[in-house]
Amino acid sequence: MKILHINAINDVKSTGRICKELAAVHHEYGHETRVAHSTGPVTEGSYVIGDAVDVKLHALHASITGRKGYA
């Protein structure tokens, strides 16, 4: 099975480590796994979504509208 883990950060802090560990466990069971993230280190099997400007635009949108994850 192909599994894509999506998280804001890769490989660091709590959710980044959890996402990395989930991908490793799924890989051990024979699944093809990838992690899509916007910040954090780029590792083997990870995809970066957006860039630093994108992160700042999302933060600006969230501060103006109060809605996170909609920009």
Side-chain angles (χ1 to χ4, degrees), residues 2-69:
K2 293 182 179 183
I3 300 171
L4 176 64
H5 298 275
I6 302 172
N7 196 33
I9 192 163
N10 182 39
D11 204 18
V12 292
K13 298 192 178 182
S14 61
T15 60
R17 284 193 309 267
I18 291 168
C19 198
K20 176 186 172 186
E21 290 171 5
L22 281 172
V25 168
H26 288 131
H27 184 72
E28 287 175 10
Y29 281 95
H31 302 293
E32 184 179 335
T33 62
R34 300 283 186 255
V35 177
H37 59 93
S38 61
T39 58
V42 178
T43 58
E44 183 180 342
S46 72
Y47 298 110
V48 178
I49 301 171
D51 57 9
V53 174
D54 228 11
V55 172
K56 296 207 183 286
L57 287 174
H58 283 276
L60 177 64
H61 180 270
S63 67
I64 293 171
T65 65
R67 299 172 57 176
K68 295 180 182 178

